[in-house]
Amino acid sequence: MRGQRTKVLPSELNKVCPERGDDPVTHPRKMSDFEVVPNLHRSSSSVSRSRRKAHFPTGSNEKENLISWIPENIRKKECTYFVESSQTSDSGRIVCECGYLREQHLEDATKPPIFLGKEWDPSRHIQEMPTDAFGDIHFTGLGQKMGKYVRVSSDTPPRVIYHLMTQHWGLDAPNLLISVTGGAKNFIMKPRLKNIFRQGLVKVAQTTGAWIITGGSHTGVMKQVGEAVRDFILSCSHKEGDIVTVGIATWGTVYNRESLVCPMGGFPAEYILDEENQGSLSCLDSNHSHFILVDDGTHGKYGVEIPLRTRLEKFISEQTKVKGGVAIKIPIVCVVLEGGPGTLDTIYNAITNGIPCVIVEGSGRVADVIAQVASLPVPRITIALIQKKLSMFFHDTYDLFTEGKLVEWTKKIQDIVRCRQLLTIFREGKYGQQDVDVAILQALFKASRNQDHFGRENWDHQLKLAVAWNRVDIARSEVFTDDHEWKPTDLHPVMAAALISNKPEFVKLFLEQGVRLKEFVTWDTLVYLYDNMAPSCLFHNKLQKVLLEESEHTAGSKMPRIQLHHVSQVLRELLGCSTQPLYPKPKHMERPRLSIPVPHIKLNVQGSSLRSLYKRSASRVTFTMDPVRDLLIWAVVQNRKELAEIIWAQSQDCMAAALACSKILKELAKEEEDTDTTDDMLALAEQYEHKAIDPAAKGDSVGALLGTKLALELRLVFLVPAWPGVFTDCYRKDEERAQKLLTRVSEAWGKTTCLQLSLEAKNMNFVSHGGVQAFLTKVWWGKMCVDNGLWRVIVCMLFFPLLYTSFITFRLQPMGCLTRLRAFFTAPVVIFHMNILSYFTFLLLFAYVLMVDFQPLPSWREYLIYFWLFSLVCEETRQLLYDPDGFGVVKMASLYFKDFWNKLDICAILVFITGLTCRLIPSTLYPGRIILSLAFIIFCLRLMHIFTVSKTLGPKIIIVKRMMKDVFFFLFLLAVWVVSFGVAKQAILIHNEERVEWLFRGVVYHSYLTIFGQIPSYIDGVNFNIDQCSPNGTDPYKPKCPETNEDNKKPIFPEWLTVILLCLYLLFTNILLLNLLIAMFNYTFQQVQEHTDQIWKFQRHDLIEEYHGRPPAPPPFILLNHLQILVQRGLLRRPATRHKQLKEKLEKNEEAALLSWEMYLKENYLQNQQCQEKQNMEQKIQDIAQRVDVLAELLDLDRVKRTGLVEQRLVFLEDQFEFPHQNDSIRGEKVYGECPFDSKVNRMKVGSGGTSP
């Protein structure tokens, strides 16, 4: 089909162009129908912004934009004058000089022209018209293979095609352009070389983000490239399998191109790959992702696409791509396999234009000819040598080479070899088995050294290429060599680019090359990094919300720029308000910006170029307090695992950094909507927690349960990491220093401590660590030795003179009498037990008053309870207002009410005050006693908090709290059945019960008691007694009677129905729901029981911290301490201070020594981790080797068995053949009197196929 035929049925048109639908019969086209002025600017901006994968079908919006944009901007070529040619078509029909049949021309082209000459002239008789072939191409019968295609004129500007590819087809600009050329016909390559080429080509394309450009046909080198891409996509995941492969072919040589013609676009166009019937034409390769079909108006003429392909490649190579702060001109390389005369011209033109070429030796013909002579001096490349090589590699077509052709080839090959910097020969085994990618990239580096870049600019250019390609191996081998000395400051721009582009290997490389983070990380650098975060990042969205709120508060129309105090605001939400702001708000909102032009760095942020961030004078640069912390936070909030790992290894305050990262990730995971990202964040948070401790050092560890030897064996079997964490190693080396690390105030992390960070992040593994628990135990016992028995403490509480003996031992010796007394009664363990004694006394006195001594006028015992309660109220007020860290009343109130036991205390106090108010009013004395009785219940529940200190009862209380949640949700299910059955029973039995209290009894109360066996006697009518109910419902002490017969007073309700309802109700409630509740309890018990020890140890801290900061005197004597605090705070204006045992600010020298020690042990941890990973790998290799040996033995055994069976069968066959021969010999002996042959000779003859004489 060429253009539009004269008569096309709608059904036929529908097959070719499914978008047309049931259009009426289409008339032949005229040239006047195509007079449309192209407009490149009609492309929608939304299309340019929407980046979609090229392998996906076109969406409705993209389809509409393509249908409107392509015909206006892209043309095809049509023959407008039919002139008979002396040649005929393959079927013997008359064709035009253009190669098309008469019916494949426009209607005007077949009319006798007057103004045109009789001779056919392509410059005059071929005209451009809007293209009629574009859209999605689907290869029928080959699964879901989908690509993009467009038919373009051979005179189409390259910028239009590039605009189509990047804006409408959704392709990202390439980091590299690989033009593959060579033999257009199928050729044979060595299997090993073929595999090396395929793997290397797709590796360089996939790792660098390159475009591969070929001829697009399903033959020759194009087929090799397509199969390489196909194998890569099949072996990789969907995310890794996107390789852009562009086929630029001649429209007139494409077989079955009629199926691609559709004026409104084919979405998709079904294309059949039919190699058997293609004849002299070629089919498109199904493994290419995009096709540009070049049309010059002729049919069957190859090579039409070469000029446009050359212009397009040159145009793309002149474009500058900016990504992650690195701006490079897109490099191009030509890869050659096999090939003939046309390939030689392509290589010559490429070398002439300064394009590096990689010749694959061993692929055949031209590639091998050039590879053989490439290493020779140019004078030695003679005509005779070329003639010899041609006779060697061109067997079939050697006779076609004339003497003039030989001279021309020799000259071209000499010119090619003369530019050795642009020529790279890939030889099998020279670069390694799969290093075609290295050869390609090294060819580009070799060429770049001899082009437009000189000196340092040349090295910068090569480094930017390596960063853009994400090939750190190339950077190590080609850029960071002894030929050039890099200054650390020269690497700062590419360091920022590597951070933004998430290239951790380059960050690691730059750190190895001497980049100092203290010099690299400035205030402006951090702003730049946060300004270039991915829009899809959750932290970026939170920053935008902060900026939006600030713009609303300031009533400004313009959105403010990101500043570090905005970042600090979001970080404080994630780290918790117990931390101070990491970045203080500057006095002047706008910082002065610099704009220094730097060559090849074109990415500007708010008027400041990337390199200009590092070109300031020392007086103008603002450095941050902790650059490692700043970069670590920036990487963690974006969930960049490898990058954060590298930066954390540089940190000094590593344990606090790991715990802070764990807290940030857990908070972000709560708000993240993507479940996969949430799982990644939680896994990374757990990993950072384990950096601080050994996973096997937890309270419920494998080693603790199974013993050290068995745990070690399990770790060896399952290859579980067993190296100790940083804190574990610190605790093993020096307990005192390790405990200082827990309570040291970290200025870098908002003046908080490691212990506080772990509590904020709920890192139970860390808090339950033996070292942390030992520290908490030490705090619990105060200045006493932890090995004192609890019974000794209780005895000394009752008889304190024993303190002056050796009955109780203290850590500090010697101690004076008053010091001993004070140290004992200020210990948290003593304060706790004295408060227990006080609380039990309060409850006993309260119970006695309620049951025995509740008089109209309060007795002295009741007044004592009121005074006691007042001391409890004062203590709760102190806890609410106690603010040693300066958080403020609002924050302290929120922290106070987060605790469940504080809520219970407030509830008990409020109920008690309500009951006391009623009790003091004579008319409400009795209700007051009732309310006070309820308050007593709540005060008794408070005892559970006291029992949490017990290792036996504490975990059980935790399980009870979890089960209470199960009961709460279970009641919703139970209420459905209770209410439904109660309402139905009440409506069936009783008519118009108007008393609300009895209505509630019948619907809810009786239905609930039925579950426990109290079945109503009247529900079946057998035990009905009219004396137990009120017929009219007038008796307030009796329920209303059911529906009865007025004559004999017998119930008339359907007894069978009520009995069935009762049975169903009991079935579902007693059997189903109650067993469901038991199952829920069992699941909760098992789930909590596994981690009960961790949970108890974690919550133990809260109890220790509470009594560590509590006044030593128990209620009601605690009022004396409150009076002392009131004098200090109110009159003397002394601020609240936290005890040094839980939060201690060290001197600078002491802190520096402690951090140095921590950093030293962190390095040991990292080395042990690397050694362990290496050992694990060696263990895996040994296991695999053992399995291979076992498999080899089995194969040998199987081979021996098979060999034995074969030998047995051969012997059996020999015996079968030997027996008849012996009979023949016997017969011959009788008849002829001859002797038989020897059996061995017979076997030889039988084996050789001979017969006996």
Side-chain angles (χ1 to χ4, degrees):
M1 178 177 177
R2 173 70 171 167
Q4 193 79 5
R5 293 179 174 83
T6 54
K7 292 184 179 180
V8 183
L9 296 176
S11 60
E12 295 175 352
L13 183 62
N14 228 7
K15 295 178 182 177
V16 178
C17 185
E19 291 293 324
R20 294 294 296 267
D22 297 331
D23 288 349
V25 177
T26 306
H27 298 286
R29 299 168 301 162
K30 297 181 180 180
M31 286 181 286
S32 60
D33 299 336
F34 300 98
E35 295 177 359
V36 182
V37 178
N39 183 9
L40 184 62
H41 301 287
R42 284 287 302 274
S43 62
S44 173
S45 61
S46 62
V47 178
S48 64
R49 288 193 299 265
S50 62
R51 294 290 182 181
R52 53 181 176 78
K53 293 298 181 182
H55 301 299
F56 293 162
T58 307
S60 58
N61 294 334
E62 289 86 354
K63 187 189 304 182
E64 293 175 1
N65 281 282
L66 282 175
I67 292 173
S68 62
W69 186 86
I70 287 184
E72 296 183 7
N73 294 276
I74 295 180
R75 321 288 261 174
K76 66 173 184 176
K77 284 191 175 183
E78 289 275 9
C79 177
T80 59
Y81 179 42
F82 182 83
V83 177
E84 293 186 7
S85 175
S86 58
Q87 299 178 355
T88 59
S89 64
D90 295 338
S91 59
R93 301 178 63 184
I94 298 174
V95 297
C96 177
E97 289 288 346
C98 65
Y100 286 100
L101 300 174
R102 182 184 296 271
E103 58 268 22
Q104 292 177 325
H105 283 68
L106 299 172
E107 181 183 9
D108 296 342
T110 58
K111 293 180 180 180
I114 299 174
F115 58 92
L116 296 176
K118 293 183 179 180
E119 294 184 0
W120 188 82
D121 184 3
S123 62
R124 292 193 301 163
H125 299 155
I126 292 181
Q127 296 186 5
E128 288 190 345
M129 302 173 186
T131 187
D132 59 356
F134 62 92
D136 300 333
I137 181 172
H138 177 258
F139 290 89
T140 306
L142 296 176
Q144 299 296 325
K145 291 190 176 181
M146 189 79 73
K148 304 287 184 185
Y149 77 98
V150 65
R151 175 186 181 184
V152 301
S153 167
S154 58
D155 297 328
T156 304
R159 64 182 181 87
V160 178
I161 300 176
Y162 186 72
H163 181 85
L164 169 69
M165 299 174 72
T166 56
Q167 304 301 321
H168 293 275
W169 282 354
L171 296 178
D172 288 327
N175 294 318
L176 171 63
L177 201 62
I178 305 174
S179 180
V180 183
T181 186
K185 295 182 180 180
N186 292 327
F187 57 92
I188 299 175
M189 288 179 64
K190 296 178 182 178
R192 187 167 180 267
L193 180 61
K194 182 191 295 185
N195 292 333
I196 292 174
F197 169 74
R198 289 184 178 183
Q199 294 173 6
L201 180 66
V202 297
K203 181 180 179 181
V204 70
Q206 196 264 338
T207 56
T208 63
W211 288 2
I212 301 176
I213 296 183
T214 73
S217 302
H218 192 62
T219 55
V221 66
M222 295 83 75
K223 185 177 180 180
Q224 295 285 349
V225 173
E227 291 177 351
V229 174
R230 176 201 63 192
D231 296 342
F232 175 78
I233 293 175
L234 291 176
S235 62
C236 295
S237 63
H238 177 71
K239 294 181 179 179
E240 298 175 339
D242 292 332
I243 293 181
V244 178
T245 314
V246 183
I248 303 179
T250 302
W251 169 263
T253 61
V254 175
Y255 179 70
N256 196 24
R257 60 183 177 273
E258 309 85 41
S259 59
L260 303 179
V261 175
C262 182
M264 299 301 294
F267 299 99
E270 299 291 338
Y271 183 82
I272 300 176
L273 199 155
D274 186 7
E275 292 184 273
E276 296 180 359
N277 302 318
Q278 67 183 4
S280 61
L281 303 179
S282 300
C283 292
L284 297 177
D285 184 70
S286 59
N287 297 304
H288 283 62
S289 59
H290 300 79
F291 296 94
I292 299 173
L293 307 177
V294 184
D295 184 15
D296 70 338
T298 63
H299 167 78
K301 182 180 177 182
Y302 282 92
V304 171
E305 81 285 355
I306 293 177
L308 179 60
R309 175 177 173 179
T310 303
R311 297 199 308 271
L312 179 62
E313 290 175 352
K314 183 179 180 182
F315 177 82
I316 295 176
S317 65
E318 293 172 350
Q319 304 305 305
T320 299
K321 180 173 182 180
V322 179
K323 185 177 181 181
V326 174
I328 61 170
K329 280 192 174 182
I330 300 172
I332 180 173
V333 63
C334 180
V335 180
V336 182
L337 272 79
E338 212 242 4
T343 303
L344 181 65
D345 294 338
T346 303
I347 299 172
Y348 181 78
N349 293 331
I351 295 293
T352 304
N353 294 324
I355 298 174
C357 293
V358 177
I359 312 295
V360 180
E361 184 180 19
S363 57
R365 299 207 296 171
V366 167
D368 284 356
V369 171
I370 297 177
Q372 292 283 336
V373 302
S375 58
L376 299 176
V378 176
R380 292 184 58 184
I381 304 175
T382 61
I383 298 177
L385 179 62
I386 298 300
Q387 185 178 7
K388 179 181 177 181
K389 299 298 182 183
L390 290 177
S391 63
M392 184 185 305
F393 296 108
F394 287 80
H395 305 287
D396 301 332
T397 60
Y398 175 71
D399 296 335
L400 301 178
F401 285 95
T402 63
E403 185 176 352
K405 201 71 174 176
L406 288 173
V407 174
E408 180 186 355
W409 274 52
T410 303
K411 185 179 182 306
K412 286 186 177 180
I413 292 176
Q414 287 178 345
D415 293 341
I416 291 171
V417 174
R418 190 173 286 111
C419 301
R420 299 183 188 276
Q421 73 277 5
L422 297 176
L423 189 64
T424 300
I425 308 299
F426 174 77
R427 293 183 173 90
E428 182 182 353
K430 179 178 180 182
Y431 295 96
Q433 185 177 358
Q434 298 178 358
D435 287 337
V436 173
D437 58 317
V438 177
I440 292 174
L441 299 178
Q442 285 180 342
L444 287 164
F445 276 106
K446 186 167 66 173
S448 68
R449 297 191 185 108
N450 297 274
Q451 290 184 352
D452 300 331
H453 308 288
F454 303 95
R456 174 186 161 185
E457 187 177 338
N458 172 48
W459 291 101
D460 285 345
H461 178 72
Q462 295 186 37
L463 181 58
K464 286 187 290 181
L465 286 178
V467 173
W469 297 337
N470 196 21
R471 293 298 297 261
V472 70
D473 55 333
I474 299 296
R476 289 181 184 274
S477 61
E478 300 294 328
V479 179
F480 292 103
T481 62
D482 296 335
D483 298 335
H484 179 70
E485 182 178 356
W486 288 90
K487 295 181 180 178
T489 54
D490 296 339
L491 300 176
H492 287 176
V494 285
M495 177 73 168
L499 287 169
I500 295 171
S501 303
N502 192 21
K503 296 174 179 176
E505 292 298 327
F506 271 100
V507 173
K508 187 176 181 181
L509 175 63
F510 296 149
L511 290 174
E512 293 173 357
Q513 295 300 321
V515 172
R516 298 184 61 190
L517 295 181
K518 290 184 177 180
E519 298 176 359
F520 168 73
V521 181
T522 63
W523 192 281
D524 290 336
T525 306
L526 276 181
V527 173
Y528 174 81
L529 292 176
Y530 280 105
D531 211 11
N532 284 272
M533 295 179 73
S536 59
C537 176
L538 176 61
F539 193 85
H540 180 269
N541 297 333
K542 295 176 75 68
L543 272 178
Q544 295 301 315
K545 291 181 181 178
V546 171
L547 295 177
L548 183 61
E549 292 176 358
E550 182 175 312
S551 64
E552 292 176 352
H553 291 161
T554 57
S557 59
K558 186 179 179 181
M559 180 77 74
R561 285 184 44 232
I562 293 178
Q563 295 294 338
L564 290 186
H565 67 271
H566 300 135
V567 177
S568 178
Q569 185 175 343
V570 179
L571 287 176
R572 198 175 185 193
E573 295 177 5
L574 299 176
L575 286 171
C577 292
S578 60
T579 60
Q580 298 294 331
L582 300 186
Y583 308 110
K585 190 173 182 179
K587 297 180 180 179
H588 303 286
M589 294 295 296
E590 293 296 330
R591 297 174 56 83
R593 312 297 298 177
L594 296 180
S595 181
I596 301 177
V598 180
H600 305 292
I601 300 294
K602 299 184 179 180
L603 182 57
N604 293 330
V605 178
Q606 302 296 335
S608 175
S609 62
L610 179 56
R611 181 164 288 174
S612 68
L613 300 177
Y614 309 101
K615 288 291 184 178
R616 295 187 171 192
S617 61
S619 60
R620 299 179 63 186
V621 174
T622 304
F623 294 101
T624 60
M625 181 177 67
D626 192 338
V628 179
R629 174 206 65 183
D630 300 330
L631 281 186
L632 180 63
I633 293 174
W634 180 83
V636 164
V637 296
Q638 298 180 87
N639 198 26
R640 294 183 174 181
K641 179 180 178 181
E642 295 83 2
L643 200 58
E645 181 79 18
I646 294 171
I647 299 172
W648 181 83
Q650 305 293 321
S651 62
Q652 188 178 20
D653 195 359
C654 56
M655 198 164 68
L659 295 171
C661 290
S662 176
K663 168 65 175 174
I664 291 173
L665 288 166
K666 286 182 179 181
E667 292 299 322
L668 288 174
K670 294 178 183 178
E671 303 182 33
E672 181 62 51
E673 297 179 356
D674 185 12
T675 54
D676 293 337
T677 307
T678 300
D679 294 340
D680 293 341
M681 286 182 174
L682 292 177
L684 187 57
E686 185 178 2
Q687 180 179 340
Y688 273 106
E689 183 181 359
H690 286 169
K691 287 182 183 298
I693 60 169
D694 180 3
K698 299 179 292 185
D700 56 345
S701 63
V702 177
L705 294 176
L706 301 179
T708 306
K709 184 176 181 180
L710 179 57
L712 182 60
E713 292 176 355
L714 288 174
R715 293 192 190 104
L716 290 176
V717 171
F718 296 104
L719 300 177
V720 178
W723 56 86
V726 177
F727 180 72
T728 304
D729 207 2
C730 293
Y731 183 69
R732 291 175 182 176
K733 299 289 184 182
D734 191 332
E735 293 185 16
E736 185 177 353
R737 279 188 172 186
Q739 292 173 0
K740 279 189 177 182
L741 287 174
L742 291 176
T743 58
R744 179 190 66 87
V745 175
S746 176
E747 296 288 341
W749 292 98
K751 296 183 180 181
T752 186
T753 64
C754 290
L755 184 60
Q756 185 64 35
L757 284 171
S758 63
L759 293 169
E760 289 281 350
K762 296 183 178 179
N763 290 330
M764 295 187 181
N765 292 332
F766 184 85
V767 178
S768 62
H769 186 273
V772 179
Q773 290 299 309
F775 168 73
L776 293 178
T777 303
K778 183 178 177 182
V779 173
W780 180 245
W781 284 89
K783 295 181 180 181
M784 294 185 292
C785 294
V786 296
D787 54 353
N788 287 309
L790 187 60
W791 66 274
R792 293 174 181 267
V793 174
I794 296 175
V795 170
C796 288
M797 286 170 55
L798 299 177
F799 190 67
F800 67 89
L802 290 175
L803 293 173
Y804 304 117
T805 64
S806 60
F807 190 73
I808 293 290
T809 57
F810 293 86
R811 291 200 303 269
L812 298 178
Q813 296 292 343
M815 297 179 67
C817 296
L818 293 178
T819 307
R820 279 175 171 264
L821 190 65
R822 183 174 181 179
F824 177 80
F825 283 102
T826 56
V829 61
V830 177
I831 297 173
F832 173 75
H833 286 91
M834 291 180 66
N835 276 270
I836 289 179
L837 182 62
S838 170
Y839 199 75
F840 272 107
T841 306
F842 168 75
L843 291 179
L844 290 174
L845 185 60
F846 194 6
Y848 177 82
V849 169
L850 286 176
M851 294 185 297
V852 179
D853 193 19
F854 199 82
Q855 306 295 334
L857 293 176
S859 62
W860 67 271
R861 300 179 186 86
E862 191 170 348
Y863 280 118
L864 180 59
I865 293 176
Y866 300 157
F867 182 72
W868 211 310
L869 182 71
F870 176 72
S871 67
L872 294 178
V873 172
C874 292
E875 174 57 24
E876 295 299 324
T877 305
R878 185 200 65 82
Q879 294 181 19
L880 179 63
L881 300 178
Y882 179 63
D883 186 15
D885 298 315
F887 293 148
V889 178
V890 176
K891 177 59 183 176
M892 292 305 302
S894 64
L895 293 175
Y896 176 83
F897 284 104
K898 279 183 180 180
D899 190 354
F900 170 77
W901 302 112
N902 289 335
K903 296 177 184 177
L904 194 65
D905 289 337
I906 296 298
C907 180
I909 291 171
L910 293 177
V911 173
F912 187 94
I913 293 174
T914 304
L916 177 61
T917 304
C918 295
R919 185 253 183 279
L920 296 177
I921 301 175
S923 60
T924 57
L925 178 64
Y926 182 63
R929 193 177 73 183
I930 295 175
I931 297 174
L932 289 175
S933 302
L934 298 178
F936 179 81
I937 296 175
I938 302 175
F939 278 118
C940 288
L941 293 177
R942 189 63 171 80
L943 286 173
M944 289 193 297
H945 178 53
I946 297 174
F947 295 146
T948 55
V949 74
S950 171
K951 195 170 185 178
T952 304
L953 294 178
K956 302 302 182 291
I957 294 174
I958 295 170
I959 294 175
V960 169
K961 289 174 63 177
R962 297 288 180 93
M963 287 183 175
M964 289 297 293
K965 297 180 180 179
D966 293 338
V967 172
F968 180 76
F969 290 110
F970 170 79
L971 290 178
F972 284 100
L973 297 175
L974 184 64
V976 174
W977 291 95
V978 170
V979 173
S980 60
F981 173 75
V983 171
K985 175 183 73 67
Q986 186 75 9
I988 293 173
L989 296 179
I990 299 173
H991 178 67
N992 292 344
E993 174 61 83
E994 297 179 355
R995 295 173 297 176
V996 178
E997 65 277 9
W998 284 102
L999 197 63
F1000 178 80
R1001 280 171 174 261
V1003 173
V1004 179
Y1005 182 62
H1006 290 164
S1007 300
Y1008 179 74
L1009 293 180
T1010 302
I1011 300 175
F1012 303 99
Q1014 294 189 13
I1015 301 174
S1017 58
Y1018 53 82
I1019 199 165
D1020 58 354
V1022 176
N1023 299 321
F1024 175 72
N1025 186 0
I1026 197 171
D1027 296 333
Q1028 296 179 355
C1029 60
S1030 174
N1032 299 322
T1034 56
D1035 191 344
Y1037 301 105
K1038 292 182 180 180
K1040 190 175 182 179
C1041 292
E1043 295 283 348
T1044 56
N1045 193 336
E1046 295 182 357
D1047 298 333
N1048 53 11
K1049 302 299 181 181
K1050 296 295 183 181
I1052 61 173
F1053 59 86
E1055 302 172 4
W1056 61 271
L1057 180 59
T1058 56
V1059 171
I1060 291 176
L1061 290 177
L1062 178 64
C1063 293
L1064 292 176
Y1065 174 67
L1066 293 176
L1067 174 68
F1068 281 99
T1069 54
N1070 275 18
I1071 297 178
L1072 180 64
L1073 291 183
L1074 289 180
N1075 280 282
L1076 174 64
L1077 180 62
I1078 294 172
M1080 293 169 63
F1081 283 168
N1082 184 44
Y1083 173 77
T1084 301
F1085 180 83
Q1086 291 180 353
Q1087 189 180 31
V1088 176
Q1089 184 67 23
E1090 296 177 357
H1091 306 284
T1092 300
D1093 189 59
Q1094 285 186 27
I1095 299 173
W1096 172 75
K1097 288 179 177 178
F1098 182 82
Q1099 295 187 352
R1100 176 173 176 252
H1101 167 270
D1102 297 336
L1103 186 70
I1104 292 175
E1105 184 181 27
E1106 177 184 349
Y1107 284 94
H1108 178 265
R1110 196 182 184 103
F1117 306 104
I1118 198 173
L1119 288 175
L1120 298 175
N1121 295 114
H1122 294 158
L1123 183 61
Q1124 178 187 2
I1125 294 173
L1126 182 62
V1127 171
Q1128 289 179 348
R1129 303 288 186 276
L1131 299 180
L1132 302 180
R1133 301 292 182 181
R1134 293 180 182 176
T1137 56
R1138 183 182 291 271
H1139 199 280
K1140 287 187 177 181
Q1141 279 190 287
L1142 291 179
K1143 195 170 185 180
E1144 183 178 5
K1145 184 174 177 60
L1146 302 178
E1147 297 293 334
K1148 289 186 177 182
N1149 294 335
E1150 184 182 4
E1151 184 178 20
L1154 187 64
L1155 290 178
S1156 299
W1157 179 68
E1158 180 189 10
M1159 195 171 182
Y1160 167 74
L1161 294 179
K1162 179 205 66 179
E1163 297 297 333
N1164 289 342
Y1165 161 76
L1166 293 175
Q1167 291 179 2
N1168 293 335
Q1169 186 178 12
Q1170 293 176 357
C1171 293
Q1172 187 71 32
E1173 291 175 353
K1174 185 178 179 180
Q1175 292 175 3
N1176 291 342
M1177 186 60 64
E1178 293 176 353
Q1179 183 69 29
K1180 289 180 182 179
I1181 293 173
Q1182 292 178 3
D1183 294 341
I1184 293 173
Q1186 292 177 359
R1187 294 177 183 178
V1188 170
D1189 292 340
V1190 173
L1191 185 61
E1193 292 176 1
L1194 293 176
L1195 291 175
D1196 291 339
L1197 183 62
D1198 184 68
R1199 187 175 65 254
V1200 171
K1201 290 182 179 179
R1202 291 178 180 271
T1203 305
L1205 290 174
V1206 171
E1207 291 178 353
Q1208 292 177 7
R1209 291 178 181 178
L1210 287 175
V1211 171
F1212 178 75
L1213 289 174
E1214 290 175 356
D1215 293 341
Q1216 293 294 323
F1217 276 97
E1218 183 180 356
F1219 180 74
H1221 287 304
Q1222 289 179 355
N1223 292 338
D1224 292 342
S1225 301
I1226 294 172
R1227 286 196 298 271
E1229 190 177 30
K1230 289 182 180 179
V1231 178
Y1232 302 106
E1234 296 178 355
C1235 295
F1237 284 98
D1238 183 70
S1239 61
K1240 183 177 180 180
V1241 177
N1242 287 334
R1243 284 196 298 270
M1244 290 174 63
K1245 291 193 174 186
V1246 170
S1248 61
T1251 57
S1252 56

